[in-house]
Amino acid sequence: LISVKYSTNFNIFASSSNEESVKLWNTDTGECLKTLKGHIKRIYRVRFSPNGKIIASCGRDQTVKLWNVETGECLKTLEGHTKWVRSVVFSPDGKLLASASNDQTIKIWDLATCKCLRVLQEHARELREIAFSPDSEVLFSGSFDQDIRLWEVRTGKCLNTLQGHNNHVNSVAITPDGNILASASSDQTIKLWDIKSGKCLNTLKGHTRYINSVNFNVNGEILASGSADETIKIWDIKTGECLKTLRS
């Protein structure tokens, strides 16, 4: 599996793997409800819209596809990237979609028209992950160039560049209150950043291989990280302490 995401009401989750399809599963029964076919190469990310009615998927075929969750119909294919599309995310207000690619660009799409509104292009290498702020006004991006950039969604202006990792930035996550950013890197560390000041608050160490993913719990006090060292670590954000290590 490459990507797994729950719907907003947690009754369905979507998965993608090395195959060229998205599968929808019933959370309670484990039944595969639908298989969404349309991509012609590997799919990297699947995401539900805030209302849970649409799924976005992206992958090696350089496209983003929008799917109707209820019918399984492909509603639209968004084209414009010239290399693999690594990440896709809906804005929390449900009005926009952002896609990030190996072509070093981020595209902001209007979901009402499916038109590309603007292209963000200042990273020096491939994009790995993107995330919106809770108010949908700022977009955060992590890249192979080792930087995290903060973008004003309305104008496409780069507001700040956070530097400190010495290898690829593979994942970014924001606390629900929008105050703290976590970044995970192939340098085997997680950094916590104060979004307003841009200062690094703490560096969490403990993984022994590259870190693929980070995610906050609902109150933003706990962070989970997944690594190629075959462990998941649970961290206390206030103290930086590793509370638990889960081994696969």
Side-chain angles (χ1 to χ4, degrees), residues 9-53:
N9 58 12
F10 294 98
N11 64 341
I12 296 175
F13 69 91
S15 67
S16 66
S17 65
N18 284 332
E19 299 177 357
E20 295 146 9
S21 61
V22 177
K23 292 184 182 294
L24 302 185
W25 306 84
N26 183 294
T27 302
D28 294 328
T29 66
E31 176 190 3
C32 181
L33 303 173
K34 290 182 181 68
T35 300
L36 313 181
K37 296 183 178 181
H39 284 285
I40 59 173
K41 293 184 179 179
R42 178 188 295 181
I43 299 168
Y44 280 121
R45 287 288 186 274
V46 288
R47 292 288 188 270
F48 281 91
S49 62
N51 64 12
K53 294 181 179 181

Side-chain angles (χ1 to χ4, degrees), residues 67-191:
W67 309 86
N68 183 303
V69 173
E70 185 176 351
T71 66
E73 175 192 4
C74 181
L75 301 172
K76 195 74 175 178
T77 299
L78 308 181
E79 298 178 305
H81 285 295
T82 58
K83 293 186 178 179
W84 301 349
V85 185
R86 286 281 191 171
S87 183
V88 64
V89 63
F90 289 93
S91 60
D93 63 13
K95 296 180 180 179
L96 302 173
L97 183 81
S99 57
S101 171
N102 277 12
D103 65 14
Q104 302 177 20
T105 72
I106 301 164
K107 292 183 181 293
I108 306 293
W109 306 86
D110 183 334
L111 283 173
T113 63
C114 291
K115 302 283 187 180
C116 180
L117 298 177
R118 57 194 58 90
V119 179
L120 315 182
Q121 190 170 7
E122 288 193 28
H123 278 290
R125 289 198 60 191
E126 303 97 311
L127 273 295
R128 285 287 289 177
E129 192 63 279
I130 47 176
F132 275 99
S133 61
D135 61 9
S136 302
E137 293 182 1
V138 178
L139 188 73
F140 304 86
S141 59
S143 167
F144 273 36
D145 65 11
Q146 308 177 17
D147 294 344
I148 302 107
R149 289 184 181 269
L150 285 63
W151 308 85
E152 185 177 47
V153 173
R154 183 178 58 84
T155 64
K157 178 184 177 182
C158 182
L159 301 173
N160 202 356
T161 301
L162 309 181
Q163 297 178 315
H165 286 294
N166 55 36
N167 210 324
H168 308 156
V169 178
N170 298 320
S171 183
V172 291
I174 298 91
T175 52
D177 63 11
N179 291 327
I180 295 175
L181 170 75
S183 57
S185 172
S186 293
D187 66 11
Q188 304 175 15
T189 72
I190 299 159
K191 290 186 180 292

